[in-house]
Structure formats: C-alpha cells, structure tokens
Short mmCIF file of all heavy atoms in Angstrom, two decimals:
data_model
loop_
_atom_site.label_atom_id
_atom_site.label_comp_id
_atom_site.label_asym_id
_atom_site.label_seq_id
_atom_site.Cartn_x
_atom_site.Cartn_y
_atom_site.Cartn_z
N GLU P 1 -67.04 -77.07 -327.89
CA GLU P 1 -66.58 -76.16 -328.94
C GLU P 1 -67.41 -76.26 -330.21
O GLU P 1 -67.34 -75.37 -331.06
CB GLU P 1 -65.11 -76.42 -329.26
CG GLU P 1 -64.82 -77.81 -329.83
CD GLU P 1 -64.71 -78.90 -328.78
OE1 GLU P 1 -64.89 -78.58 -327.57
OE2 GLU P 1 -64.45 -80.05 -329.16
N ASN P 2 -68.22 -77.30 -330.35
CA ASN P 2 -69.04 -77.47 -331.56
C ASN P 2 -70.44 -76.91 -331.39
O ASN P 2 -71.23 -76.89 -332.33
CB ASN P 2 -69.13 -78.96 -331.93
CG ASN P 2 -69.64 -79.17 -333.35
OD1 ASN P 2 -69.29 -78.43 -334.26
ND2 ASN P 2 -70.49 -80.16 -333.53
N ILE P 3 -70.76 -76.45 -330.18
CA ILE P 3 -72.11 -75.96 -329.89
C ILE P 3 -72.14 -74.44 -330.01
O ILE P 3 -71.42 -73.73 -329.31
CB ILE P 3 -72.55 -76.38 -328.47
CG1 ILE P 3 -72.52 -77.90 -328.34
CG2 ILE P 3 -73.94 -75.82 -328.15
CD1 ILE P 3 -72.64 -78.40 -326.92
N GLN P 4 -72.98 -73.96 -330.91
CA GLN P 4 -73.09 -72.52 -331.12
C GLN P 4 -74.14 -71.90 -330.20
O GLN P 4 -73.86 -70.96 -329.48
CB GLN P 4 -73.44 -72.23 -332.59
CG GLN P 4 -73.42 -70.76 -332.95
CD GLN P 4 -73.62 -70.53 -334.43
OE1 GLN P 4 -73.49 -71.45 -335.24
NE2 GLN P 4 -73.94 -69.31 -334.81
N THR P 5 -75.36 -72.43 -330.24
CA THR P 5 -76.43 -71.97 -329.36
C THR P 5 -77.29 -73.15 -328.96
O THR P 5 -77.24 -74.22 -329.59
CB THR P 5 -77.34 -70.92 -330.04
OG1 THR P 5 -77.95 -71.51 -331.20
CG2 THR P 5 -76.58 -69.69 -330.45
N ALA P 6 -78.08 -72.97 -327.91
CA ALA P 6 -78.96 -74.03 -327.45
C ALA P 6 -80.26 -73.44 -326.92
O ALA P 6 -80.27 -72.37 -326.30
CB ALA P 6 -78.29 -74.85 -326.35
N THR P 7 -81.35 -74.15 -327.19
CA THR P 7 -82.64 -73.80 -326.61
C THR P 7 -83.44 -75.10 -326.52
O THR P 7 -82.92 -76.18 -326.78
CB THR P 7 -83.38 -72.74 -327.47
OG1 THR P 7 -84.58 -72.34 -326.79
CG2 THR P 7 -83.76 -73.29 -328.83
N HIS P 8 -84.70 -75.02 -326.13
CA HIS P 8 -85.52 -76.23 -326.07
C HIS P 8 -86.98 -75.86 -326.29
O HIS P 8 -87.40 -74.71 -326.15
CB HIS P 8 -85.35 -76.94 -324.72
CG HIS P 8 -86.03 -76.22 -323.57
ND1 HIS P 8 -87.31 -76.49 -323.17
CD2 HIS P 8 -85.58 -75.23 -322.74
CE1 HIS P 8 -87.64 -75.71 -322.14
NE2 HIS P 8 -86.60 -74.93 -321.87
N CYS P 9 -87.77 -76.89 -326.69
CA CYS P 9 -89.21 -76.71 -326.80
C CYS P 9 -89.87 -77.67 -325.81
O CYS P 9 -89.26 -78.03 -324.81
CB CYS P 9 -89.67 -76.97 -328.24
SG CYS P 9 -89.27 -78.61 -328.86
N VAL P 10 -91.08 -78.12 -326.07
CA VAL P 10 -91.80 -78.96 -325.12
C VAL P 10 -91.13 -80.32 -324.95
O VAL P 10 -91.12 -80.88 -323.86
CB VAL P 10 -93.27 -79.15 -325.57
CG1 VAL P 10 -94.01 -80.09 -324.65
CG2 VAL P 10 -93.97 -77.80 -325.62
N THR P 11 -90.56 -80.85 -326.03
CA THR P 11 -90.01 -82.20 -325.97
C THR P 11 -88.55 -82.32 -326.40
O THR P 11 -87.93 -83.34 -326.15
CB THR P 11 -90.82 -83.14 -326.90
OG1 THR P 11 -90.75 -82.66 -328.25
CG2 THR P 11 -92.27 -83.21 -326.47
N ARG P 12 -88.00 -81.29 -327.05
CA ARG P 12 -86.70 -81.45 -327.70
C ARG P 12 -85.66 -80.42 -327.26
O ARG P 12 -85.99 -79.26 -327.02
CB ARG P 12 -86.87 -81.33 -329.22
CG ARG P 12 -87.53 -82.52 -329.88
CD ARG P 12 -88.11 -82.15 -331.23
NE ARG P 12 -89.35 -81.40 -331.09
CZ ARG P 12 -89.90 -80.69 -332.07
NH1 ARG P 12 -89.32 -80.63 -333.24
NH2 ARG P 12 -91.03 -80.05 -331.86
N LEU P 13 -84.43 -80.88 -327.18
CA LEU P 13 -83.28 -80.00 -327.03
C LEU P 13 -82.88 -79.57 -328.43
O LEU P 13 -82.64 -80.40 -329.30
CB LEU P 13 -82.15 -80.76 -326.35
CG LEU P 13 -80.95 -79.99 -325.83
CD1 LEU P 13 -81.37 -79.05 -324.72
CD2 LEU P 13 -79.89 -80.97 -325.32
N ARG P 14 -82.83 -78.25 -328.68
CA ARG P 14 -82.56 -77.74 -330.03
C ARG P 14 -81.20 -77.06 -330.05
O ARG P 14 -80.99 -76.07 -329.35
CB ARG P 14 -83.65 -76.74 -330.44
CG ARG P 14 -85.03 -77.36 -330.60
CD ARG P 14 -86.09 -76.28 -330.73
NE ARG P 14 -87.37 -76.83 -331.14
CZ ARG P 14 -88.01 -76.51 -332.25
NH1 ARG P 14 -87.48 -75.65 -333.10
NH2 ARG P 14 -89.18 -77.05 -332.54
N LEU P 15 -80.30 -77.58 -330.86
CA LEU P 15 -78.93 -77.08 -330.90
C LEU P 15 -78.59 -76.55 -332.29
O LEU P 15 -78.97 -77.15 -333.29
CB LEU P 15 -77.94 -78.19 -330.54
CG LEU P 15 -78.21 -78.99 -329.27
CD1 LEU P 15 -77.17 -80.08 -329.11
CD2 LEU P 15 -78.23 -78.07 -328.05
N VAL P 16 -77.87 -75.45 -332.32
CA VAL P 16 -77.24 -74.98 -333.55
C VAL P 16 -75.77 -75.33 -333.43
O VAL P 16 -75.07 -74.81 -332.56
CB VAL P 16 -77.43 -73.47 -333.75
CG1 VAL P 16 -76.70 -73.00 -335.00
CG2 VAL P 16 -78.91 -73.12 -333.86
N LEU P 17 -75.32 -76.26 -334.28
CA LEU P 17 -73.94 -76.76 -334.21
C LEU P 17 -73.09 -76.15 -335.32
O LEU P 17 -73.58 -75.84 -336.40
CB LEU P 17 -73.94 -78.29 -334.33
CG LEU P 17 -74.79 -79.05 -333.31
CD1 LEU P 17 -74.75 -80.54 -333.60
CD2 LEU P 17 -74.31 -78.77 -331.89
N LYS P 18 -71.82 -76.03 -335.05
CA LYS P 18 -70.91 -75.50 -336.05
C LYS P 18 -70.64 -76.52 -337.16
O LYS P 18 -70.50 -76.16 -338.32
CB LYS P 18 -69.59 -75.09 -335.37
CG LYS P 18 -69.76 -73.95 -334.37
CD LYS P 18 -68.45 -73.65 -333.65
CE LYS P 18 -68.65 -72.56 -332.60
NZ LYS P 18 -67.42 -72.30 -331.82
N ASP P 19 -70.60 -77.79 -336.78
CA ASP P 19 -70.34 -78.85 -337.75
C ASP P 19 -71.24 -80.04 -337.43
O ASP P 19 -71.01 -80.76 -336.45
CB ASP P 19 -68.87 -79.27 -337.70
CG ASP P 19 -68.52 -80.29 -338.78
OD1 ASP P 19 -69.43 -80.70 -339.54
OD2 ASP P 19 -67.34 -80.67 -338.87
N GLN P 20 -72.28 -80.26 -338.26
CA GLN P 20 -73.22 -81.35 -338.03
C GLN P 20 -72.55 -82.72 -338.18
O GLN P 20 -73.02 -83.71 -337.60
CB GLN P 20 -74.39 -81.25 -339.03
CG GLN P 20 -75.03 -79.89 -339.15
CD GLN P 20 -75.90 -79.54 -337.96
OE1 GLN P 20 -76.05 -80.35 -337.06
NE2 GLN P 20 -76.45 -78.34 -337.94
N GLU P 21 -71.48 -82.79 -338.96
CA GLU P 21 -70.83 -84.07 -339.24
C GLU P 21 -70.16 -84.67 -338.01
O GLU P 21 -69.84 -85.87 -337.98
CB GLU P 21 -69.79 -83.90 -340.36
CG GLU P 21 -70.36 -83.43 -341.69
CD GLU P 21 -71.35 -84.43 -342.27
OE1 GLU P 21 -71.13 -85.64 -342.12
OE2 GLU P 21 -72.35 -83.98 -342.87
N LYS P 22 -69.92 -83.88 -336.99
CA LYS P 22 -69.25 -84.37 -335.80
C LYS P 22 -70.19 -85.14 -334.86
O LYS P 22 -69.72 -85.74 -333.88
CB LYS P 22 -68.62 -83.20 -335.03
CG LYS P 22 -67.43 -82.56 -335.76
CD LYS P 22 -66.78 -81.50 -334.89
CE LYS P 22 -65.55 -80.90 -335.59
NZ LYS P 22 -64.90 -79.87 -334.74
N VAL P 23 -71.47 -85.12 -335.13
CA VAL P 23 -72.43 -85.81 -334.27
C VAL P 23 -72.29 -87.32 -334.42
O VAL P 23 -72.32 -87.85 -335.52
CB VAL P 23 -73.88 -85.39 -334.60
CG1 VAL P 23 -74.87 -86.14 -333.69
CG2 VAL P 23 -74.05 -83.89 -334.43
N GLU P 24 -72.15 -88.02 -333.30
CA GLU P 24 -72.11 -89.48 -333.29
C GLU P 24 -73.52 -89.98 -332.97
O GLU P 24 -73.87 -90.19 -331.81
CB GLU P 24 -71.10 -89.96 -332.26
CG GLU P 24 -69.67 -89.50 -332.53
CD GLU P 24 -68.69 -89.97 -331.48
OE1 GLU P 24 -68.33 -91.16 -331.48
OE2 GLU P 24 -68.30 -89.13 -330.64
N VAL P 25 -74.31 -90.17 -334.02
CA VAL P 25 -75.73 -90.41 -333.88
C VAL P 25 -76.04 -91.67 -333.08
O VAL P 25 -76.85 -91.65 -332.14
CB VAL P 25 -76.41 -90.49 -335.27
CG1 VAL P 25 -77.89 -90.79 -335.12
CG2 VAL P 25 -76.22 -89.18 -336.02
N LYS P 26 -75.41 -92.80 -333.43
CA LYS P 26 -75.73 -94.06 -332.76
C LYS P 26 -75.38 -94.02 -331.28
O LYS P 26 -76.13 -94.52 -330.43
CB LYS P 26 -75.01 -95.22 -333.46
CG LYS P 26 -75.60 -95.56 -334.83
CD LYS P 26 -75.02 -96.85 -335.37
CE LYS P 26 -75.69 -97.22 -336.68
NZ LYS P 26 -75.17 -98.51 -337.23
N LYS P 27 -74.23 -93.44 -330.96
CA LYS P 27 -73.86 -93.31 -329.55
C LYS P 27 -74.82 -92.38 -328.81
O LYS P 27 -75.20 -92.65 -327.66
CB LYS P 27 -72.42 -92.79 -329.44
CG LYS P 27 -71.36 -93.79 -329.88
CD LYS P 27 -69.96 -93.21 -329.66
CE LYS P 27 -68.89 -94.21 -330.07
NZ LYS P 27 -67.52 -93.67 -329.88
N LEU P 28 -75.19 -91.28 -329.47
CA LEU P 28 -76.11 -90.33 -328.87
C LEU P 28 -77.45 -90.99 -328.56
O LEU P 28 -77.99 -90.86 -327.45
CB LEU P 28 -76.32 -89.14 -329.81
CG LEU P 28 -77.31 -88.05 -329.37
CD1 LEU P 28 -76.81 -87.35 -328.11
CD2 LEU P 28 -77.53 -87.04 -330.48
N GLU P 29 -77.98 -91.74 -329.51
CA GLU P 29 -79.30 -92.34 -329.34
C GLU P 29 -79.28 -93.59 -328.47
O GLU P 29 -80.32 -94.15 -328.15
CB GLU P 29 -79.90 -92.65 -330.72
CG GLU P 29 -80.18 -91.39 -331.52
CD GLU P 29 -80.91 -91.66 -332.82
OE1 GLU P 29 -81.01 -92.85 -333.21
OE2 GLU P 29 -81.38 -90.69 -333.44
N SER P 30 -78.08 -94.03 -328.08
CA SER P 30 -77.99 -95.17 -327.16
C SER P 30 -78.16 -94.73 -325.71
O SER P 30 -78.34 -95.57 -324.82
CB SER P 30 -76.62 -95.87 -327.31
OG SER P 30 -75.57 -95.03 -326.84
N LEU P 31 -78.12 -93.43 -325.45
CA LEU P 31 -78.27 -92.91 -324.09
C LEU P 31 -79.70 -93.11 -323.59
O LEU P 31 -80.67 -93.03 -324.34
CB LEU P 31 -77.91 -91.43 -324.04
CG LEU P 31 -76.46 -91.08 -324.39
CD1 LEU P 31 -76.29 -89.56 -324.46
CD2 LEU P 31 -75.50 -91.68 -323.38
N GLU P 32 -79.83 -93.33 -322.30
CA GLU P 32 -81.13 -93.65 -321.71
C GLU P 32 -82.14 -92.53 -321.88
O GLU P 32 -83.32 -92.78 -322.12
CB GLU P 32 -80.93 -93.95 -320.22
CG GLU P 32 -82.22 -94.34 -319.50
CD GLU P 32 -82.01 -94.59 -318.03
OE1 GLU P 32 -80.84 -94.56 -317.58
OE2 GLU P 32 -83.01 -94.81 -317.32
N ILE P 33 -81.70 -91.29 -321.76
CA ILE P 33 -82.66 -90.18 -321.78
C ILE P 33 -82.96 -89.69 -323.19
O ILE P 33 -83.84 -88.84 -323.38
CB ILE P 33 -82.16 -88.99 -320.93
CG1 ILE P 33 -80.83 -88.45 -321.48
CG2 ILE P 33 -82.04 -89.38 -319.49
CD1 ILE P 33 -80.36 -87.18 -320.77
N VAL P 34 -82.25 -90.19 -324.19
CA VAL P 34 -82.44 -89.74 -325.57
C VAL P 34 -83.39 -90.69 -326.29
O VAL P 34 -83.15 -91.89 -326.37
CB VAL P 34 -81.10 -89.66 -326.33
CG1 VAL P 34 -81.34 -89.31 -327.80
CG2 VAL P 34 -80.20 -88.62 -325.68
N LYS P 35 -84.49 -90.15 -326.80
CA LYS P 35 -85.50 -90.95 -327.49
C LYS P 35 -85.37 -90.88 -329.01
O LYS P 35 -86.14 -91.51 -329.73
CB LYS P 35 -86.90 -90.51 -327.06
CG LYS P 35 -87.17 -90.71 -325.57
CD LYS P 35 -88.56 -90.23 -325.20
CE LYS P 35 -88.86 -90.57 -323.74
NZ LYS P 35 -87.97 -89.87 -322.80
N GLY P 36 -84.44 -90.09 -329.49
CA GLY P 36 -84.24 -89.95 -330.92
C GLY P 36 -83.59 -88.62 -331.22
O GLY P 36 -83.49 -87.74 -330.35
N SER P 37 -83.13 -88.45 -332.45
CA SER P 37 -82.53 -87.19 -332.86
C SER P 37 -82.68 -87.02 -334.36
O SER P 37 -82.82 -88.01 -335.09
CB SER P 37 -81.03 -87.15 -332.47
OG SER P 37 -80.31 -88.14 -333.18
N PHE P 38 -82.67 -85.77 -334.79
CA PHE P 38 -82.82 -85.50 -336.22
C PHE P 38 -82.36 -84.07 -336.49
O PHE P 38 -82.30 -83.23 -335.59
CB PHE P 38 -84.27 -85.70 -336.68
CG PHE P 38 -85.26 -84.81 -335.98
CD1 PHE P 38 -85.72 -83.64 -336.59
CD2 PHE P 38 -85.76 -85.13 -334.73
CE1 PHE P 38 -86.65 -82.83 -335.95
CE2 PHE P 38 -86.68 -84.32 -334.09
CZ PHE P 38 -87.13 -83.17 -334.70
N LEU P 39 -82.08 -83.81 -337.76
CA LEU P 39 -81.68 -82.49 -338.21
C LEU P 39 -82.83 -81.87 -338.98
O LEU P 39 -83.35 -82.48 -339.92
CB LEU P 39 -80.45 -82.58 -339.11
CG LEU P 39 -79.92 -81.27 -339.71
CD1 LEU P 39 -79.43 -80.35 -338.59
CD2 LEU P 39 -78.80 -81.55 -340.70
#
C-alpha cells in the first residue's frame, strides 16, 4: 500500500513511495540481495 510506482535501471530498483518515513533502512539493507539504498 506504500508503493506508488516502480521501475528499474541497470543496477537499481526505483520506487516512488507514498511515505518515505515508513522505510526500515537497516532491515532492508540487511537482505542478501540488497547492496544499499538511498533517496
């Protein structure tokens, strides 16, 4: 419900979120396939 749109480029998943504050950054970046994240 927080995801508005999604696309991707060569290396990144690009999301437009309704509320950026809901992102749990440390948990997200602890995943094996995630190499980092940023806004």
